[in-house]
Each structure stands twice: as structure tokens, then as C-alpha cells.
């Protein structure tokens, strides 16, 4: 007899354990016979099991031939049926267990990302007569019917009045067609096909359609393989080979400036893994998953690539996922969630732009793709490659330590672009000087002149508008100062409703002045203190003004203009196709674009991310500026970058100007060490929200008290708060939070979990635990 350990799909903290069920022989045979299975057994299957007088969906995480200890085998209930074939194997189940523990979430939530996209099954209570029914998203495989002529067709002569038959036969003379296509061009032809099929003149067969295999029309998408690898590329590949060989989950950080040929390294490394019969997984940030990136992988590996991202429909996602599971594709390129794709014989995981905050999932399970990838690689004995022009401080610290989390971390630098393409010249325009000299336009004199030059030379430019966290600050237009809390080094946030400035580190607040006596700049006493912000549309208008006499295409890309399916792509193609053009956009244009004709990159407002109340604010600003600067001068013509800033002297901005990252990293690491922030500690955010402010307060005060009593006296642990969140009220829910710091290497998840479990939560109060939090607003 076989026994299955089943995790029930009931996401309450109390029902977290796996339950044991007996597996009837027939079900075991059914699972083993399933061709498209990840584990070749019942492990990874979605099953229906009885549980306390009802039926519940569950996931099999392990099998055993021994009955569970201490239970009479005859009392063990049976698995009732298999609802979906295996989507993961034992190693993945192990990773899911780790996710649940590390990020403090119910085990079933940690398993869900491993399931086939759009195949979630739920049990719903139906009528009294029929106590339950299954609800299933419908996105399984799609079959299509194809019609083609048989050999008998050549000697078949339709009757004189059978004009429909003639039309169908003539349409098919060019080759097989889909029935739906035929019906669209020849209405009513489906019936004709049936009668011709009966006569043996045509045959109809079902073919599996794979959704989501779109072609691309971008010019640079089919990049050729370079003749020689650069020294940096060879060194990186050497390190990756060694990591593959050690088969223990070793990590290689490819620290290469933009355009240094990191993608080329990935392609080559994947090729080597494939030639050894292995498969590879590549994660890229969602917004850089453009046809351009996809095209480079497709042009090298053809149909061996499956693509997974959120702009695909559920059906497309399923088909792409299934290409990996069925072994038809050995390379998966996708966004964060592609990490869970069921690739057999995984040999290599690559995370491009590993510093990106979007690798942290902001809903349960709140995992970080980098950490989960490291875990997967250890579990499966494969290599992990982290690529970036601006590696995260976390990764840099681990490389410095060499050994971290039981594996070796190696950093390889690629400081040069191949073929002599030079890094762009970066200049910083001090906007306070521009303002002082009377120029109040959003384009400084140098930027306006450079844009006109681009138009004259028929080249292309990219203009970045940094939009994050903008209007929340008051800024002095004369000296660029942003009022800061005298007790914390945190910028004060402007709250319009209460007309006050608030510090979100210590929760002190100050009134902002009255109409008769406005607040003045704390540094220069100027009255020009205001919330200041522009949108991409205003930039577009200003640009149209500036370039009124030049024939230049202006393409705008932001959340509004790229909502529709394919819009993102269409706009990039428009920019690509134009003779001379300016691309105006938000953060989404900073990454992955490789257009050789771009000779100018302008950053309209470099500073907005710098003053965010977030310890990573400077790092994010530096990353963004480096990224966007890297869009310039990728072709033969040299590029230049103009950054407009009110804080021109900030290390993050100076480091971009001088191409000297150490300048930034050194000053930033010193600040992080001082404040006991990551990478020198771990940080978690415990968020509580609900309609009743007093309930929220009571619950979170309880959690904080519990946390303090459990961590009292433990070196390196700090409990900050509870305090109101920066977004103190969202959708009528009050939001408060606690920040918890712990020494690196300590397990935060189980501690936080125990403290939250210990509280009684009234209805309508929610608590979320976010370990290694990125968004603390
Ligand atoms: P990154 O991913 O670091 O931004 P890419 O891999 O996109 O860099 O490379 C930048 C450009 O340089 C691409 O157009 C690529 O085809 C080209 N390239 C990469 N490696 C080489 C090489 N060894 N020799 C010549 N050109 C190369
Ligand atoms: Zn001032
Ligand atoms: Zn403060």
C-alpha cells in the first residue's frame, strides 16, 4: 500500500501541516501512466480528498510505502481522485516547504506558484442534493481541426451544382487549413467539409495548437553570434562552467556594464548546458521582456524556448508552461514566476538585472526570486548566474564573503563594451543653478541644445521621466532642499489632507504653515517650496514645442500608453522604424532596449527616487541612472547622457557621472552599516490593516509586544514601531506596520509567524508578514 502526504488547499495558518491518505492501486497506476507528468508518480498531482466530512482539494508532496506512525492503517482515508496531473516533483516540494518557512506563509500558498498556469481547481459547495462541485479555470490544451485533401481528391469531380464543394476543394489545393479559418473565408463550409470527409476526399485531423509563439519584427532581434568573445566574457563563462561542474548550487555574479555582452554570455552558457543534455531558466524583469529580448533567445534556440510572462493570456501561459513540462522546450525565458517552470534536468538558472526590486513578489508568497533561485540551484545541484550592471549590495557583500549560505559566490567583472564601443559621456546639470539663472523650463539649456542636435543629425534620443514617489515631497525650487526630519535622516512626506509634513521613520509631524505665513525652505529660507511634478504628457508637449520645426517622431511610453495588449511592442517598433525620434517614458524605458541609433539619453528629474523614505532609495536611483545611461552609444556613434538634478553632488549621481561605482558603493555601504540595514541585517515588515483603526492597533500592539519579549536580549534584533504606514489608509483600511531587523543568517520567518499566530485577530483585520521587504510604504 502507498501512502500520500497531502497539503490541503486551505490557506489558514492553523491547517498548515500535510495530511496522510492511502492511495488506491488504481490511482497509483493512473498517475504512473500519465505521460505529461513532472514526477512520474502521484507527487505533484492535484487531488481530491475527504476532510472532516467534506471534500477538499490538495497537493501530493510525498509518497511513502510505510503507513504513518501511530495510526491504524485501516482508519486512513483514501485519496478520492486525481484532478490534475503532476506539476512538480519532490525537489520542488522541498523548495515549497522552504518558501513557506522562510517567508512565513501557508504551505499551500507556497505550492501554488508551481501549479500549471490557469489550471487551479477549487471545490465549491453546491446544492443540498449534490454537496460539492469542482470549479476549474478553463485553459487546458487547445486542439484545432485541420482539413487537407486526400489522394482520392485528384480523381474526385463534384456535381455540377455543388459550388460549395468546389470552393472548399480549391481553397485546400494550396495546402491544409484550419477548419475555423476555412469557415471564416467560406461561411457554412464546415458542413461541406463533413460531407467531403464522408466521401473520403478530405481528411480532418486534430493538431495541438501552441499559444503564445509570436514572431517579432524588430530589426535588432535576430542578433548574430559574435566571432570572438571578449576576455571578460570568457572569464565569466569559465566561472559558470566551474559552478556547473561543482553541481552544488554555486553562484556567479556577472558584473558587467550595460552593453558589455552579458546576454551573449547567457546565450553561450545555455548552449553549453544544452549540449550536455540539460535545460536552463532565464529570468528577466517583466518590463524588459520585450520582443527584443525574446527574439535574441529565439534566434539562437528557436522553438526550444518557452516564454512566460504576465502579458500572455492564461491559455498562452499554459501552453508555454506545458512546452517545458513535456520536454519540448529546454529553455524557459520569463518573468519572476517562470522560476517555477517544470524543467527536467535543470542545469542553469540565470537572473538578469538581478538588482531589480520587481524580483520581490509583493503578495503571498512574498518571496524574492534571487533567494528562491539560490535554493532551487542548491536543491538540484545546478549553477546560478546573477547578471547586472549594478549588482545589488546584497550580492556584492556575498561575493566579498566568498562563502555564503553554504555555496561559493564568485564575481566576474566585465568593465568594457566589445568592439570598442565606448561608454557614453555623462554630464550632470545642476537644476538649482538653472533656476537661479532664470531658466524655469523643464529642459535645461544643455538638454534642450542636445535634443536639437539630435534632430539636426537625424539620430535618436531617449528621455526618462523618473516618476516614483514624486508629488509626495516638498522641494525648494531655489536650492533643491527637501525638508528632513531633525531626528531621522528621512525626507518628510507631504500630506495634503492634513496639510502637514510627516516623518515616516519616527512618526513625528509638523504643520506646513498657513496662507498668511507660508512655510519657508529650511536651508535657504526661500518661499518657493512646493510639491513639484510633471507627467510624461507634459514632457511630450514641451518636446513638440521645442522640436516644432524638426521632423522628429515623438513616442511616449508609460503605464497609460502601454495598457493594451501589444501596445508596448507597437511603440517600440514605431521608435525603431522612425528615421529620427525621441522616446519619452517612465522607468519602463530604462531597461533592455538596444537601439544602436540612440546617441542621447536625457534624464529630466534624477532625484525623485533619491528622496524616497526607503533605505534603498539611493541604490535604486543609482541603478536606474546607470541603466538608462546604458541606452546611449550602443552603436557606432558615441553617445552622451545628460542628467538634470537638484542634488548634483549626491554620491549616487556623481558615481554615474564619473563611471565610478565604487564611489557610490563605498558611501552607501557605510550608511547601511551605520543604520544596521541590509546587507548587514535582515529586515521584515509586518503589516496590519483593517476597517477598524482600534482593532488594527490592538492586534499589532500585541504582535509587537510578543516580538519584543521573544527577541529581548538577542543581539542584532530590533523591533521598530508599531507605526502608521506611509500609505496610512488605502481603500478605507487603516494600515500600520512593524519593522523587524535581525542578524544576517537568522531565520526571521518562523519567529514572526509564531508572534502573529499568538494574536487573536478579530474579523476584518489582516496581517501580512513580508520578510526581506522591499516595499515598506
Ligand atoms: P548586455 O546584455 O551586457 O547589455 P549585450 O549582450 O546586449 O550586452 O551586448 C551588447 C551588444 O554587443 C550587442 O549588440 C551584442 O550583439 C554585442 N556583442 C556582445 N558580445 C560581443 C562580442 N564578443 N563581440 C562583438 N559584439 C558583441
Ligand atoms: Zn531652499
Ligand atoms: Zn523622524
Amino acid at each position: 500500500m502507498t501512502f500520500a502526504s497531502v497539503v490541503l488547499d486551505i490557506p489558514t495558518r492553523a491547517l498548515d501541516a500535510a495530511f496522510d491518505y492511502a492511495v488506491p492501486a488504481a490511482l497509483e497506476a493512473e498517475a504512473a501512466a500519465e505521460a505529461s507528468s513532472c514526477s512520474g508518480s502521484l507527487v505533484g498531482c492535484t487531488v481530491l480528498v475527504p476532510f472532516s466530512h467534506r471534500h477538499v482539494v490538495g497537493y501530493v508532496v510525498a509518497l511513502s510505502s510505510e503507513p504513518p506512525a501511530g495510526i491504524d492503517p485501516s482508519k486512513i482515508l483514501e485519496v478520492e481522485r486525481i484532478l490534475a496531473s503532476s506539476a512538480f516533483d519532490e525537489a520542488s516540494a522541498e523548495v515549497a516547504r522552504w518558501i513557506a518557512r522562510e517567508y512565513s506563509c501557508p504551505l499551500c500558498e507556497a505550492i501554488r506558484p508551481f501549479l500549471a498556469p490557469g489550471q487551479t481547481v477549487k471545490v465549491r459547495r453546491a446544492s443540498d442534493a449534490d454537496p460539492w462541485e469542482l470549479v476549474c479555470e478553463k485553459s487546458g490544451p487547445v486542439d484545432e481541426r485541420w482539413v487537407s485533401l486526400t489522394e482520392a481528391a485528384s480523381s474526385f469531380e463534384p456535381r455540377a451544382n455543388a459550388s460549395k464543394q468546389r470552393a472548399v476543394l480549391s481553397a485546400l489545393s494550396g495546402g491544409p487549413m484550419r477548419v475555423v479559418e476555412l469557415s471564416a473565408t467560406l461561411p457554412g463550409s464546415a458542413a461541406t467539409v463533413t460531407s467531403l470527409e464522408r466521401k473520403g476526399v478530405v481528411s480532418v485531423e486534430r493538431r495541438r495548437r501552441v499559444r503564445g509563439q509570436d514572431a517579432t519584427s524588430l530589426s535588432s532581434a535576430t542578433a548574430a553570434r559574435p566571432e570572438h568573445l571578449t576576455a571578460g566574457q570568457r572569464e565569466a563563462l569559465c566561472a559558470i562552467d566551474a559552478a556547473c561542474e561543482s553541481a552544488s548550487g554555486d553562484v556567479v555574479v556577472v558584473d558587467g556594464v550595460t552593453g558589455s555582452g552579458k546576454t551573449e554570455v547567457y546565450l553561450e552558457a545555455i548552449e553549453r548546458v544544452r549540449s550536455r543534455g540539460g535545460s536552463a531558466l532565464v529570468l528577466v524583469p517583466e518590463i524588459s521582456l520585450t520582443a527584443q529580448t525574446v527574439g535574441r533567445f529565439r534566434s539562437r534556440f528557436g522553438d526550444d524556448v518557452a516564454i512566460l510572462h504576465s502579458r500572455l493570456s492564461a491559455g498562452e501561459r499554459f501552453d508555454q508552461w506545458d512546452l517545458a513540462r513535456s520536454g519540448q522546450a529546454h529553455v524557459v525565458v520569463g518573468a519572476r514566476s517562470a522560476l517555477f517552470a517544470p524543467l527536467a534536468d535543470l542545469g542553469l538558472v540565470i537572473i538578469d538585472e538581478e538588482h531589480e526590486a520587481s524580483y520581490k513578489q509583493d503578495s503571498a508568497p512574498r518571496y524574492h526570486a534571487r533567494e528562491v533561485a539560490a535554493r532551487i540551484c542548491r536543491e538540484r545541484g545546478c549553477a546560478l548566474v546573477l547578471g547586472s550592471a549594478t549588482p545589488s549590495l546584497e550580492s556584492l557583500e556575498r561575493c566579498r564573503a566568498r562563502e555564503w549560505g553554504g555555496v561559493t559566490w564568485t564575481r566576474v567583472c566585465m568593465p568594457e563594451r566589445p568592439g570598442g564601443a565606448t561608454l557614453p559621456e555623462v554630464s550632470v546639470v545642476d537644476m538649482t543653478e538653472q533656476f537661479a539663472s532664470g531658466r524655469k523650463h523643464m529642459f535645461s539649456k544643455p538638454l534642450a541644445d542636445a535634443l536639437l542636435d539630435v534632430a539636426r543629425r537625424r539620430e535618436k534620443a531617449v528621455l526618462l521621466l523618473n516618476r516614483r514617489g514624486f508629488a509626495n515631497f516638498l522641494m525648494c525650487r531655489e536650492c533643491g532642499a527637501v525638508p528632513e526630519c531633525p531626528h531621522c535622516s528621512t525626507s518628510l512626506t507631504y500630506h495634503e489632507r492634513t496639510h502637514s509634513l510627516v516623518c515616516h521613520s519616527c512618526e513625528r509631524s509638523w504643520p506646513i504653515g498657513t496662507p498668511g505665513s507660508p512655510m519657508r525652505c529650511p536651508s535657504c529660507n526661500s518661499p518657493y517650496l512646493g510639491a513639484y511634478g510633471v507627467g510624461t504628457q507634459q514632457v511630450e508637449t514641451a518636446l513638440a514645442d521645442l522640436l516644432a520645426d524638426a521632423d522628429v517622431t515623438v513616442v511616449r511610453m508609460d503605464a497609460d500608453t502601454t495598457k493594451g495588449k501589444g501596445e508596448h511592442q507597437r511603440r517600440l517598433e514605431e521608435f525603431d522604424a522612425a528615421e529620427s525620434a525621441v522616446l519619452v517614458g517612465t522607468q519602463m524605458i530604462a531597461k533592455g532596449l538596444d537601439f544602436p541609433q540612440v546617441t542621447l539619453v536625457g534624464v529630466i528629474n534624477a532625484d525623485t527616487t533619491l528622496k524616497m523614505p526607503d533605505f534603498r532609495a539611493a541604490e535604486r536611483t543609482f541603478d536606474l541612472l546607470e541603466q538608462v545611461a546604458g541606452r546611449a552609444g550602443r552603436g557606432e556613434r558615441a553617445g552622451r547622457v545628460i542628467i538634470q538634478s537638484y542634488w548634483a553632488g549626491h554620491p549616487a549621481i556623481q558615481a554615474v557621472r564619473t563611471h565610478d561605482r565604487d564611489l557610490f558603493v563605498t558611501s552607501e555601504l557605510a550608511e547601511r552599516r551605520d543604520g544596521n540595514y541590509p546587507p548587514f541585517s535582515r529586515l521584515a515588515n509586518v503589516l496590519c490593516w483593517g476597517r477598524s483603526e482600534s482593532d488594527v492597533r490592538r492586534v499589532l500592539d500585541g504582535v509587537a509586544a510578543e516580538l519584543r519579549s521573544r527577541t529581548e536580549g538577542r543581539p542584532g534584533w530590533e523591533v521598530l514601531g508599531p507605526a502608521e504606514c506611509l500609505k496610512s489608509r488605502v481603500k478605507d483600511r487603516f494600515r500600520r506596520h512593524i519593522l523587524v531587523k535581525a542578524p544576517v543568517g537568522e531565520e526571521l520567518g518562523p519567529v514572526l509567524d509564531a508572534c502573529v499566530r499568538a494574536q487573536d485577530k478579530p474579523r476584518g483585520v489582516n496581517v501580512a508578514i513580508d520578510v526581506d521587504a522591499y516595499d515598506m510604504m
Side-chain angles (χ1 to χ4, degrees):
M1 189 84 188
T2 303
F3 299 89
S5 175
V6 178
V7 174
L8 305 182
D9 193 57
I10 306 175
T12 64
R13 291 184 179 275
L15 276 180
D16 225 6
F19 291 81
D20 293 302
Y21 289 88
V23 182
L27 283 192
E28 210 171 341
E30 185 186 332
E34 177 64 70
S36 61
S37 163
C38 286
S39 63
S41 72
L42 205 61
V43 170
C45 287
T46 303
V47 292
L48 190 69
V49 292
F51 181 75
S52 98
H53 308 293
R54 33 181 201 135
H55 283 85
V56 178
V57 170
Y59 311 107
V60 179
V61 291
L63 293 176
S64 157
S65 53
E66 299 289 318
I71 302 177
D72 176 358
S74 67
K75 295 243 166 70
I76 295 177
L77 299 172
E78 290 191 340
V79 173
E80 204 145 298
R81 58 166 135 149
I82 299 175
L83 299 173
S85 53
S86 172
F88 57 87
D89 60 6
E90 286 86 351
S92 292
E94 206 44 59
V95 173
R97 268 195 211 99
W98 177 83
I99 292 175
R101 186 177 162 80
E102 183 72 5
Y103 296 104
S104 180
C105 72
L107 190 46
C108 66
E109 273 179 5
I111 287 174
R112 281 195 202 132
F114 289 94
L115 303 176
Q119 291 267 283
T120 324
V121 190
K122 286 196 158 50
V123 178
R124 182 164 66 193
R125 199 171 267 288
S127 61
D128 285 343
D130 193 9
W132 55 269
E133 63 176 350
L134 294 171
V135 202
C136 180
E137 280 180 73
K138 291 260 187 315
S139 69
V142 171
D143 285 332
E144 287 194 325
R145 293 164 65 223
W146 286 73
V147 216
S148 51
L149 298 178
T150 62
E151 278 179 18
S154 54
S155 55
F156 176 74
E157 189 51 48
R159 281 207 307 271
N161 61 351
S163 59
K164 271 261 172 61
Q165 291 189 357
R166 273 178 214 288
V168 167
L169 291 172
S170 114
L172 290 175
S173 63
M177 281 180 87
R178 287 183 295 163
V179 175
V180 283
E181 225 165 39
L182 199 59
S183 307
T185 42
L186 298 170
S189 58
T192 317
V193 166
T194 311
S195 78
L196 285 173
E197 193 185 7
R198 230 179 284 127
K199 291 183 166 63
V201 178
V202 302
S203 66
V204 178
E205 61 165 353
R206 287 185 174 279
R207 288 190 201 166
R208 172 76 183 279
R209 177 162 68 100
V210 176
R211 293 158 288 185
Q213 299 281 60
D214 299 336
T216 169
S217 62
L218 281 174
S219 58
S220 40
T222 50
R225 188 190 306 251
E227 252 168 72
H228 303 286
L229 295 174
T230 64
Q233 287 173 323
R234 285 197 303 273
E235 193 192 332
L237 284 162
C238 224
I240 296 169
D241 280 343
C244 286
E245 222 150 272
S246 86
S248 53
D250 286 349
V251 184
V252 177
V253 173
V254 179
D255 179 354
V257 296
T258 49
S260 59
K262 293 185 292 297
T263 312
E264 206 51 55
V265 169
Y266 308 155
L267 292 169
E268 179 64 31
I270 294 169
E271 203 137 310
R272 295 180 184 186
V273 165
R274 273 171 91 234
S275 72
R276 293 193 293 263
S279 59
L281 188 63
V282 185
L283 298 190
V284 300
E286 183 79 47
I287 47 175
S288 51
L289 245 179
T290 57
Q292 213 178 14
T293 316
V294 171
R296 286 182 75 178
F297 286 90
R298 274 228 200 288
S299 73
R300 196 65 63 90
F301 307 120
D303 285 343
D304 204 24
V305 184
I307 309 293
L308 281 168
H309 58 81
S310 69
R311 289 188 303 276
L312 298 177
S313 70
E316 289 171 332
R317 270 207 303 276
F318 177 81
D319 284 3
Q320 295 295 311
W321 182 90
D322 204 42
L323 285 175
R325 173 169 69 170
S326 61
Q328 290 176 72
H330 297 90
V331 181
V332 169
V333 180
R336 190 178 58 222
S337 63
L339 191 52
F340 304 97
L343 279 171
D345 304 313
L346 191 63
L348 179 64
V349 177
I350 295 167
I351 302 185
D352 189 31
E353 315 279 10
E354 67 90 23
H355 61 278
E356 269 287 305
S358 64
Y359 285 124
K360 182 72 163 68
Q361 164 133 317
D362 57 9
S363 59
R366 295 180 162 75
Y367 64 89
H368 195 299
R370 187 205 301 129
E371 309 307 323
V372 176
R375 191 72 201 183
I376 289 175
C377 289
R378 263 182 67 183
E379 200 65 49
R380 299 191 180 271
C382 61
L384 174 61
V385 172
L386 303 175
S388 175
T390 53
S392 61
L393 295 181
E394 282 83 353
S395 295
L396 290 177
E397 261 312 287
R398 293 173 190 183
C399 288
R400 222 180 41 159
R402 287 287 295 160
E403 293 293 322
W404 198 93
V407 301
T408 305
W409 286 64
T410 310
R411 172 177 167 200
V412 177
C413 294
M414 305 205 309
E416 273 153 23
R417 289 180 169 184
T422 48
L423 286 174
E425 174 208 324
V426 181
S427 47
V428 176
V429 179
D430 185 334
M431 292 301 276
T432 60
E433 274 173 20
Q434 293 279 314
F435 191 87
S437 69
R439 188 170 174 99
K440 299 191 167 62
H441 198 270
M442 76 170 78
F443 301 134
S444 60
K445 182 84 172 58
L447 183 55
D449 289 347
L451 283 164
L452 289 168
D453 275 352
V454 163
R456 213 172 7 254
R457 291 199 303 262
R458 313 306 294 155
E459 294 170 346
K460 289 179 187 175
V462 168
L463 274 185
L464 173 79
L465 183 71
N466 193 359
R467 290 273 308 189
R468 286 197 61 169
F470 201 57
N472 281 331
F473 301 96
L474 288 194
M475 188 184 69
C476 173
R477 297 279 335 250
E478 280 189 82
C479 76
V482 165
E484 284 191 354
C485 175
H487 306 277
C488 320
S489 62
T490 304
S491 312
L492 297 177
T493 308
Y494 174 50
H495 285 230
E496 204 170 357
R497 199 166 48 96
T498 51
H499 214 60
S500 59
L501 290 173
V502 180
C503 168
H504 283 284
S505 290
C506 67
E507 300 305 316
R508 289 179 172 89
S509 79
W510 294 264
I512 190 165
T514 53
S517 67
M519 182 164 172
R520 287 180 172 269
C521 169
S523 323
C524 74
N525 210 31
S526 156
Y528 292 108
L529 203 59
Y532 163 81
V534 291
T536 45
Q537 223 162 340
Q538 283 160 277
V539 180
E540 195 184 15
T541 312
L543 203 55
D545 262 3
L546 180 73
L547 302 175
D549 301 325
D551 176 24
V552 174
T553 309
V554 174
V555 180
R556 174 160 71 97
M557 266 180 63
D558 55 27
D560 289 338
T561 67
T562 54
K563 248 183 235 146
K565 198 179 157 156
E567 252 329 281
H568 190 257
Q569 190 51 29
R570 208 186 59 66
R571 294 201 176 237
L572 287 181
E573 280 169 14
E574 186 187 349
F575 181 64
D576 190 38
E579 188 211 347
S580 175
V582 183
L583 180 65
V584 178
T586 51
Q587 270 76 344
M588 69 171 67
I589 64 169
K591 302 190 179 66
L593 306 184
D594 186 4
F595 294 110
Q597 315 92 327
V598 172
T599 55
L600 171 69
V601 165
V603 180
I604 294 173
N605 50 350
D607 323 304
T608 53
T609 39
L610 209 49
K611 291 287 169 173
M612 273 171 52
D614 176 345
F615 71 90
R616 289 194 178 86
E619 187 180 3
R620 286 187 175 169
T621 308
F622 175 75
D623 293 351
L624 177 67
L625 294 179
E626 270 295 302
Q627 286 292 340
V628 73
R631 302 306 119 211
R634 293 171 80 89
E636 271 142 31
R637 289 186 231 182
R640 62 186 291 216
V641 178
I642 298 177
I643 297 174
Q644 303 191 146
S645 169
Y646 284 90
W647 291 280
H650 191 284
I653 291 176
Q654 283 306 319
V656 176
R657 185 178 71 75
T658 55
H659 296 293
D660 178 8
R661 187 179 53 204
D662 285 349
L663 182 76
F664 164 71
V665 171
T666 309
S667 92
E668 184 63 18
L669 281 177
E671 291 213 356
R672 298 275 184 96
R673 197 186 286 277
D674 263 6
N676 190 28
Y677 277 111
F680 303 105
S681 69
R682 299 191 73 184
L683 182 110
N685 186 19
V686 182
L687 176 70
C688 180
W689 70 100
R691 277 184 193 278
S692 155
E693 189 171 4
S694 58
D695 283 353
V696 168
R697 272 180 189 275
R698 185 156 37 79
V699 170
L700 207 56
D701 286 350
V703 174
E706 185 74 30
L707 266 168
R708 288 201 162 93
S709 84
R710 280 182 194 240
T711 61
E712 189 85 80
R714 288 171 73 172
W717 285 76
E718 274 180 67
V719 179
L720 309 165
E724 201 168 82
C725 295
L726 177 64
K727 295 179 197 151
S728 58
R729 218 172 147 184
V730 173
K731 292 181 193 151
D732 286 329
R733 301 312 189 272
F734 292 93
R735 303 168 84 243
R736 294 175 67 76
H737 68 156
I738 304 170
L739 293 179
V740 183
K741 291 184 194 169
V744 174
E746 293 244 11
E747 284 196 318
L748 264 164
V751 175
L752 297 176
D753 194 51
C755 295
V756 170
R757 268 180 211 248
Q759 296 307 309
D760 279 331
K761 282 183 286 298
R763 274 176 77 90
V765 175
N766 303 282
V767 179
I769 297 172
D770 188 359
V771 175
D772 297 337
Y774 271 64
D775 178 0
M776 278 146 298
M777 316 240 270

